[in-house]
């Protein structure tokens, strides 16, 4: 029997944190620098991480949360959901992070003076939470003054204790435009406070935030891209090495090439190769185990990641996506599409559909809002998930569309 560890060290899945966060040293240093600025009493621009699904944006926010909490900050994570307002998101962030506060900051938070709208932060037997402080009025109330007043008081208490407040908000593009504008406007009003936003979202988030409020144009936007070969190798080899196990170098090379440096694919392929090696009780993960991983990986991607996205499209949205794929296939010799499918001209898609750009534009925008595609530049489209175009082409060829 080999000494293959029983615990698979790879973590494919939405929002799951890898045991080794490879290739993100620059972003981590940026977060640490921001914290240094705030603690020195200087202003710091919000940081927004943008990128495709599966690039590790959520893992990066979790890492930022842990780093800042270790420095004594109030730092909480929140993933935006449909029809959730910024006030609700901030309540969740503060109540969660306040649990770890100590000393003077904890005493300040427990005074009961921190209220947002009709809700007051209170310390109970099970920790901090927001409770209804006053009767909720049916009258429409501008939430902006309440939000600013709450965050301002929070910032004052944080500064008095030499720390800051970090709002770590994921999937920012899901906020309604008015709510995104409210959040940006509140941050603008709080420039003198030690409160920072570290957010994440899809590639088109920067333009959406600028449309919501021009103040967002001054935010720092950091693209989270695929890993280079060296970082991809680290993401594959280090988790196994930390358990005293090794990869054959040919196996790593094959896996890195197969995944094209896409973090989610790296985790998924590595996980399945690990399973194949464990099934064979092999002492080393080899190229053969990577080959055996190919079929289960494709099945998982087709049944989950790809099908879930394609099936939620309307008939007209599917027609638009299918046309994008047809353009890609026609532009490739042999009609094949790799993981890193090239960009597509929106004009060519409209031409194939036989409709003017202004007619298909609203359909395109809906597909963008659903996170299936994005526009890296004017008149150009690209799929948000690597390999999705190949899936659609294969599904079309099999007659499932």
């Amino acid at each position: 029997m080999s000494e293959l560890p029983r615990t698979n060290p790879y973590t494919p899945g939405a929002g799951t944190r890898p045991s080794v966060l490879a290739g993100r040293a620059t972003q981590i240093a940026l977060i640490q620098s921001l914290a240094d600025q705030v603690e020195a009493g200087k202003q710091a621009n919000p940081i927004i991480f943008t990128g495709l699904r599966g690039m590790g944006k959520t893992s990066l926010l979790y890492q930022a949360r842990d780093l800042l909490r270790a420095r004594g900050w109030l730092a909480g994570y929140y993933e935006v959901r449909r029809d959730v307002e910024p006030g609700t998101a901030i309540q969740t962030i503060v109540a969660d992070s306040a649990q770890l506060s100590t000393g003077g900051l904890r005493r300040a938070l427990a005074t009961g003076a921190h209220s947002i709208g009709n809700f007051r932060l209170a310390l109970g037997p099970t920790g901090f939470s927001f409770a209804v402080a006053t009767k909720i009025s049916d009258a429409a109330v501008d939430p902006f003054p309440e939000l600013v007043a709450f965050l301002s008081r929070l910032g004052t208490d944080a500064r008095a204790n030499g720390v800051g407040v970090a709002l770590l908000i994921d999937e920012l593009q899901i906020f309604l435009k008015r709510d995104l504008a409210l959040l940006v406007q509140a941050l603008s009003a709080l420039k003198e406070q030690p409160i920072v936003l570290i957010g994440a979202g899809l590639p088109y988030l920067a333009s959406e935030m600028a449309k919501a409020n021009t103040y967002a144009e001054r935010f720092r936007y950091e693209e989270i891209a695929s890993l280079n070969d060296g970082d991809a190798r680290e993401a594959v080899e280090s988790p196994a090495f930390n358990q005293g196990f090794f990869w054959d170098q040919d196996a790593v090379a094959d896996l890195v090439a197969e995944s094209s440096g896409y973090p989610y694919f790296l985790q998924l392929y590595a996980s399945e190769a690990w399973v194949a090696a464990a099934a064979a009780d092999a002492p080393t993960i080899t190229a053969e185990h990577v080959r055996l991983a190919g079929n289960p990986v494709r099945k998982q991607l087709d049944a989950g990641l790809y099908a879930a996205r394609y099936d939620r499209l309307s008939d007209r949205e599917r027609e638009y996506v299918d046309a994008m794929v047809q353009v890609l296939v026609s532009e490739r010799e042999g009609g094949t599409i790799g993981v890193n499918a090239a960009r597509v001209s929106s004009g060519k898609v409209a031409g194939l559909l036989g409709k003017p750009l202004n007619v298909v534009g609203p359909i395109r925008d809906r597909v963008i809002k659903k996170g299936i595609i994005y526009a890296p530049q004017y008149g150009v489209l690209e799929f948000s998930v690597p390999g999705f175009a190949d899936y659609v082409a294969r599904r079309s060829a099999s007659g499932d569309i």
Side-chain angles (χ1 to χ4, degrees):
M1 295 290 289
S2 73
E3 296 182 359
L4 181 70
R6 293 296 181 185
T7 303
N8 190 327
Y10 302 101
T11 56
T16 55
R17 299 177 70 177
S19 57
V20 175
L21 188 62
R24 306 306 183 205
T26 297
Q27 289 78 23
I28 296 301
L30 184 61
I31 293 165
Q32 296 279 30
S33 176
L34 176 144
D36 291 340
Q37 285 182 288
V38 171
E39 290 173 8
K42 298 178 181 179
Q43 295 182 24
N45 281 333
I47 302 173
I48 308 296
F49 298 113
T50 63
L52 303 180
R53 302 275 185 205
M55 286 296 177
K57 301 184 299 296
T58 298
S59 296
L60 193 53
L61 290 187
Y62 280 136
Q63 184 77 1
R65 180 195 63 184
D66 293 349
L67 289 171
L68 294 173
R69 282 181 172 180
R71 297 176 69 139
W73 281 46
L74 284 178
Y77 170 88
Y78 186 83
E79 180 180 334
V80 179
R81 303 185 303 276
R82 297 288 178 189
D83 302 321
V84 170
E85 298 179 350
T88 301
I90 291 172
Q91 284 179 32
T92 303
I93 288 171
V94 172
D96 174 50
S97 55
Q99 310 293 350
L100 301 178
S101 61
T102 59
L105 181 56
R106 186 175 182 83
R107 289 192 295 274
L109 295 174
T111 61
H114 300 77
S115 60
I116 179 170
N118 297 291
F119 297 89
R120 175 175 54 82
L121 182 67
L123 178 60
T126 59
F128 283 98
S129 63
F130 277 87
V132 177
T134 58
K135 183 178 179 181
I136 299 177
S137 172
D138 293 329
V141 178
D142 180 6
F144 178 75
E146 294 281 357
L147 185 61
V148 171
F150 171 75
L151 288 174
S152 181
R153 178 62 186 268
L154 197 65
T156 298
D157 289 336
R159 174 178 284 125
N161 287 272
V163 296
V165 178
L167 308 176
L168 303 158
I169 305 181
D170 207 353
E171 302 289 357
L172 274 167
Q173 76 281 344
I174 294 179
F175 269 139
L176 295 176
K177 187 175 180 180
R178 68 166 188 247
D179 293 330
L180 198 55
L182 173 64
L183 177 63
V184 175
Q185 187 178 3
L187 291 170
S188 176
L190 294 161
K191 287 184 291 187
E192 303 298 325
Q193 294 286 357
I195 296 175
V196 296
L197 168 67
I198 303 177
L202 292 177
Y204 64 87
L205 176 60
S207 62
E208 289 296 303
M209 295 192 75
K211 290 176 187 175
N213 191 298
T214 56
Y215 175 67
E217 294 173 351
R218 285 163 278 181
F219 290 4
R220 176 156 186 164
Y221 296 94
E222 286 285 315
E223 180 184 5
I224 306 302
S226 294
L227 300 177
N228 60 39
D229 284 359
D231 291 332
R233 282 178 171 273
E234 181 187 357
V236 172
E237 293 180 302
S238 291
F241 180 79
N242 290 341
Q243 294 197 34
F245 198 72
F246 300 93
W247 282 74
D248 178 87
Q249 289 304 297
D250 288 340
V252 178
D254 289 349
L255 191 152
V256 170
E258 194 70 30
S259 65
S260 297
Y262 181 48
Y264 173 64
F265 284 2
L266 281 168
Q267 293 292 319
L268 185 56
Y269 267 101
S271 177
E272 291 300 326
W274 180 278
V275 170
D281 199 24
T284 302
I285 299 179
T286 67
E288 175 62 13
H289 298 132
V290 174
R291 186 191 68 79
L292 290 172
N295 192 46
V297 165
R298 174 170 287 189
K299 285 183 177 179
Q300 288 187 61
L301 292 174
D302 284 0
L305 184 69
Y306 298 144
R309 282 165 170 74
Y310 189 81
D311 290 343
R312 74 170 181 253
L313 296 172
S314 69
D315 289 343
R316 288 195 174 185
E317 291 163 356
R318 287 187 188 181
E319 183 183 45
Y320 192 89
V321 166
D322 294 346
M324 281 185 62
V325 174
Q326 289 179 50
V327 172
L328 281 170
V329 171
S330 68
E331 292 180 344
R332 274 156 184 71
E333 185 178 352
T336 59
I337 306 176
V339 171
N340 290 327
R343 295 172 175 180
V344 179
S345 163
S346 58
K348 289 185 178 180
V349 177
L352 183 61
L353 292 171
K355 299 175 181 178
L357 274 170
N358 64 329
V359 172
V360 298
I363 301 172
R364 174 204 61 209
D365 292 345
R366 291 201 300 271
V367 180
I368 289 176
K369 288 292 186 183
K370 289 185 176 181
I372 305 298
I373 62 176
Y374 72 105
Q377 61 190 62
Y378 182 78
V380 175
L381 301 171
E382 189 169 346
F383 285 102
S384 297
V385 179
F388 187 81
D390 175 66
Y391 164 77
V392 175
R394 288 188 285 107
R395 182 164 170 161
S396 178
S398 68
D400 290 338
I401 292 179

